[in-house]
């Protein structure tokens, strides 16, 4: 059977990949990535793998909610995949990916410019940074005066031509956001090329009006991330006239098909970014969601060095599958 009538057998395995060190954000310490690999098999025996990688503090469903959906669907039709509720965006993505990947050759490893994630706090100073590269540094974790002092140290020890993205994960107040953006505007004005590419999600998503006000008031761009975690939020901000940067974490944004079509809207200023999904998923996002044109901004996929296990272990899912625990 083809099209919407197709029925797939669903099997799900769990994966758990600890980070070398916990990633500290405004939301606390994150020890590693847990997710689900979903395998669909169609009536002709063709196999497709997908990755369900929820991040509840980013606005997606919980891992438990994704597991519950999969347990309820030992078989699923194409129409049921299209009808997965919007409250389960990572599940929409993972099953949509598995269906599209069915019988497909492995996507190539993308050759794109990555933004590299630095450790939070003073540990960033110990990382060797390279000229011409883009780095992300999490803020909103310690006292603002201390972090601003550290920012100056990071910049002083950067080689020429390094660009920084600051990511507050919604952890600033109006007052501290103004302090950060004042500093960023001054640093950028004093440099031939902007040192600070943007400040990401200074305020929580609930403070939409103040996010607009900050973007009007300062020269340093504001990037939305938690505010636009899901596809319908991306669409809503864009339709309301937001012309700033939007971070797109495809693996938790919802149906791949919707995201792909929306991503072709002209004049979007997007940063394609990771939620520490599997390598096969990063390749799929690059090939099937982002498409052949090189992204205008460095992508946020420079994260695989955070994992304790080597990326090569995950290259061929058909070989990894049998080693993964059942849910
Ligand atoms: Mg972010």
């Amino acid at each position: 059977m083809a099209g919407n009538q197709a029925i797939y057998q669903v099997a799900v395995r769990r994966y758990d990949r600890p980070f070398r060190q916990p990633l500290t954000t405004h939301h606390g310490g994150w020890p590693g990535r847990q997710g689900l690999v979903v395998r669909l098999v169609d009536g002709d025996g063709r196999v497709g793998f997908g990755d369900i990688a929820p991040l509840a503090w980013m606005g997606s469903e919980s891992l438990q909610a994704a597991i519950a959906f999969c347990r309820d669907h030992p078989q699923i039709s194409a129409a049921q995949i299209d009808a997965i509720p919007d409250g389960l965006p990572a599940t929409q993505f993972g099953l949509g990916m598995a269906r599209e990947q069915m019988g497909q050759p492995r996507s190539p490893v993308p050759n794109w410019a990555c933004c590299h994630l630095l450790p939070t706090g003073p540990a960033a100073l110990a990382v060797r940074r390279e000229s011409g590269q883009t780095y992300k540094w999490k803020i909103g974790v310690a006292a603002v005066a201390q972090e601003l002092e550290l920012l100056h140290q990071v910049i002083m020890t950067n080689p020429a031509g390094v660009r920084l993205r600051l990511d507050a994960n919604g952890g600033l107040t109006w007052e501290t956001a103004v302090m950060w953006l004042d500093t960023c505007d001054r640093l950028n004005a004093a440099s031939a090329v902007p040192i600070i590419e943007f400040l990401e999600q200074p305020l929580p998503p609930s403070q939409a009006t103040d996010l607009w006000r900050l973007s009007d008031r300062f020269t340093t761009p504001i990037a939305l991330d938690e505010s636009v975690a899901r596809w319908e939020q991306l669409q809503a901000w864009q339709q309301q006239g937001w012309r700033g940067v939007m971070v797109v974490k495809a693996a938790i944004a919802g149906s791949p098909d919707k995201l792909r079509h929306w991503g072709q809207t002209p004049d979007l200023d997007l940063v394609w970014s990771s939620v520490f999904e599997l390598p096969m998923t990063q390749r799929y996002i690059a090939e099937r969601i982002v498409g052949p044109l090189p992204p205008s901004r460095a992508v946020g996929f420079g994260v695989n060095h955070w994992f304790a296990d080597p990326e090569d272990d995950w290259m061929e899912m058909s070989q990894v599958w049998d080693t993964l625990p059942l849910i």
Side-chain angles (χ1 to χ4, degrees):
M1 275 189 286
N4 256 20
Q5 307 302 311
I7 303 279
Y8 308 104
Q9 304 298 319
V10 182
V12 182
R13 298 278 173 99
R14 185 192 287 270
Y15 67 88
D16 188 352
R17 302 180 69 200
F19 297 140
R20 290 176 190 277
Q21 61 190 86
L23 172 58
T24 309
T25 75
H26 175 68
H27 302 279
W30 185 18
R33 167 41 99 188
Q34 295 182 320
L36 306 172
V37 178
V38 58
R39 186 187 69 179
L40 297 183
V41 182
D42 74 2
D44 298 326
R46 295 184 310 160
V47 174
F49 290 106
D51 181 3
I52 303 180
L55 208 51
W57 55 263
M58 257 295 162
S60 87
E61 72 273 47
S62 64
L63 186 64
Q64 290 68 30
I67 289 172
F69 180 90
C70 294
R71 284 208 170 112
D72 286 347
H73 295 83
Q75 286 191 337
I76 198 164
S77 68
Q80 283 174 308
I81 293 176
D82 291 335
I84 297 171
D86 287 341
L88 300 171
T91 308
Q92 282 185 349
F93 178 89
L95 280 156
M97 173 184 167
R99 179 174 55 173
E100 284 189 4
Q101 291 296 83
M102 183 151 293
Q104 295 296 311
R106 198 172 88 178
S107 299
V109 176
N111 176 27
W112 52 18
C114 281
C115 169
H116 307 277
L117 179 61
L118 293 170
T120 309
L125 291 167
V127 175
R128 204 174 82 94
R129 286 144 273 149
E130 287 175 29
S131 182
Q133 296 290 317
T134 304
Y135 295 89
K136 175 185 277 201
W137 191 48
K138 299 279 188 184
I139 65 166
V141 178
V144 62
Q146 197 183 335
E147 288 190 334
L148 284 170
E149 172 55 32
L150 265 175
L151 172 70
H152 285 105
Q153 289 181 39
V154 170
I155 287 171
M156 278 191 306
T157 53
N158 275 346
V162 162
R163 278 148 69 93
L164 277 183
R165 296 173 176 177
L166 303 175
D167 186 1
N169 288 110
L172 304 182
T173 62
W174 172 263
E175 289 73 23
T176 54
V178 166
M179 287 170 76
W180 275 102
L181 286 162
D182 262 334
T183 303
C184 295
D185 275 5
R186 269 189 286 114
L187 286 165
N188 284 344
S191 167
V193 284
I195 297 174
I196 310 294
E197 186 180 358
F198 52 70
L199 174 59
E200 193 170 317
Q201 198 73 42
L203 305 174
S206 59
Q207 295 179 33
T209 309
D210 283 344
L211 286 164
W212 281 99
R213 284 170 65 204
L214 289 174
S215 76
D216 287 341
R217 181 162 159 183
F218 294 95
T219 311
T220 305
I222 305 287
L224 301 176
D225 186 4
E226 281 86 342
S227 288
V228 292
R230 297 197 309 273
W231 170 78
E232 66 269 21
Q233 296 169 314
L234 285 162
Q235 198 186 32
W237 276 86
Q238 177 241 329
Q239 285 175 353
Q240 286 162 25
W242 179 263
R243 293 296 172 263
V245 183
M246 292 192 281
V247 177
V248 186
K249 293 175 148 65
I252 58 167
S255 147
D257 210 30
K258 282 184 189 166
L259 192 59
R260 180 167 39 240
H261 286 115
W262 176 81
Q264 287 160 7
T265 310
D267 301 325
L268 297 176
D269 191 350
L270 304 182
V271 175
W272 295 95
S273 202
S274 172
V275 286
F276 295 88
E277 60 284 297
L278 293 170
M280 68 168 183
T281 316
Q282 298 176 352
R283 297 193 306 260
Y284 165 76
I285 291 169
E287 187 185 30
R288 299 297 308 273
I289 311 283
V290 179
L293 294 177
S296 57
R297 293 185 186 266
V299 299
F301 284 87
V303 297
N304 291 332
H305 59 291
W306 277 79
F307 288 107
D309 59 11
E311 194 177 339
D312 286 353
D313 286 3
W314 293 88
M315 276 298 153
E316 196 64 64
M317 184 47 64
S318 55
Q319 290 166 14
V320 178
W321 172 257
D322 284 333
T323 70
L324 297 177
L326 302 168
I327 59 169

